[in-house]
Amino acid sequence: MQKPEIKITQDGPYIVTGNVPLSEKIIVPQGRKYELFEGRELPQTETYALCRCGKSKNTPFCDGSHEKVGFVGTETASKAKYEDRAELIGGPEIDLLDDNRCAFARFCHRDNGNVWELTQKSDWGDNRSEAIIAASECLAGRLVAVDKDGNEIEPELQPSIDIIQDPEKRVSAGIFVKGNIPIVGANGETYEVRNRVALCRCGNSENKPFCDATHVLTKFLDKK
Ligand code: FES
């Protein structure tokens, strides 16, 4: 059986191979933090093409609209390693890596503060464990908690893809790619394989193929 993989096509969709489970998930506020709820059921196939231009009428799948609208999907993101791009923010009981690639999913917020505040005050109460949750739930993989022995703390995630909806902001959000699925650029070069990453599906990110939260500014909605 083919291994899971996402292939970016030049000015076209993401081609997903290897029977990767596909779901829709909804960002739901719970107090000052957030949870992902199940959305509508999506068809499961061995191979599928996910829209990258934001113009499909059959989202999340490509319907060929990218050709009609002349989508330009040039990849602009750095292929440098996360550890080389990320800044290490030190706290008393836990440290935090942060590469600033924000998909605006807001899972860095917890009841007692955001991941940066929790890290900086990680010697108080349950702030250390809350900082770890806040970092580990970041869909973009921007945030990674690092223990005082230098070990990165990552949740165990099976290869799977979530199409994100964000009704609180009245927008449709990016594509959450979990479980170390290789992403191959249009030029054949593979991006660093990561456990968590968010891909753009509104077509307007300035850091393609990754989500940079532009969908919030442009009020991208996949169901018109
Ligand atoms: S990428 Fe094909 S319709 Fe959007």
Side-chain angles (χ1 to χ4, degrees):
M1 202 174 72
Q2 204 177 345
K3 283 205 182 126
E5 186 184 89
I6 297 172
K7 174 85 177 91
I8 300 169
T9 58
Q10 182 74 49
D11 304 329
Y14 303 104
I15 308 294
V16 184
T17 50
N19 262 317
V20 179
L22 180 68
S23 322
E24 182 180 71
K25 294 267 166 53
I26 300 167
I27 300 175
V28 179
Q30 299 285 330
R32 292 173 63 196
K33 55 183 190 273
Y34 289 86
E35 277 183 37
L36 279 181
F37 281 27
E38 275 312 314
R40 70 194 157 128
E41 253 184 54
L42 296 172
Q44 309 294 310
T45 49
E46 192 183 337
T47 300
Y48 47 90
L50 292 176
C51 174
R52 188 162 80 92
C53 73
K55 300 292 185 211
S56 171
K57 296 203 167 47
N58 183 36
T59 56
F61 303 105
C62 169
D63 70 352
S65 295
H66 59 274
E67 284 191 12
K68 282 181 220 139
V69 301
F71 173 58
V72 177
T74 309
E75 293 162 57
T76 49
S78 163
K79 287 198 173 78
K81 278 188 178 288
Y82 173 76
E83 278 82 4
D84 295 337
R85 290 184 291 102
E87 178 192 0
L88 185 69
I89 298 161
E93 296 291 332
I94 196 85
D95 297 334
L96 181 69
L97 281 167
D98 179 351
D99 77 354
N100 218 22
R101 274 187 188 169
C102 181
F104 204 61
R106 313 188 288 292
F107 288 88
C108 51
H109 294 264
R110 304 291 295 170
D111 283 330
N112 295 334
N114 66 39
V115 71
W116 300 275
E117 294 162 346
L118 294 165
T119 299
Q120 265 148 19
K121 296 177 186 162
S122 50
D123 52 349
W124 292 7
D126 60 359
N127 284 356
R128 181 183 184 273
S129 55
E130 285 287 290
I132 292 170
I133 296 170
S136 306
E137 290 189 351
C138 168
L139 308 191
R142 165 182 174 170
L143 305 163
V144 174
V146 184
D147 72 17
K148 286 296 173 182
D149 294 323
N151 303 308
E152 294 183 10
I153 301 169
E154 270 296 326
E156 248 189 58
L157 298 172
Q158 293 305 310
S160 51
I161 292 178
D162 292 339
I163 302 297
I164 306 295
Q165 301 289 359
D166 189 355
E168 189 187 35
K169 297 288 171 199
R170 299 204 182 103
V171 294
S172 298
I175 301 173
F176 181 24
V177 178
K178 297 174 281 183
N180 296 300
I181 302 175
I183 298 169
V184 182
N187 68 358
E189 259 181 66
T190 303
Y191 287 84
E192 181 186 13
V193 175
R194 300 199 61 218
N195 193 29
R196 295 171 283 140
V197 76
L199 293 174
C200 170
R201 69 183 180 105
C202 74
N204 290 317
S205 171
E206 288 184 5
N207 194 38
K208 290 186 183 69
F210 301 107
C211 171
D212 72 349
T214 300
H215 60 271
V216 183
L217 296 176
T218 58
K219 300 186 169 41
F220 171 64
L221 261 183
D222 66 5
K223 297 174 200 104
K224 303 280 182 324

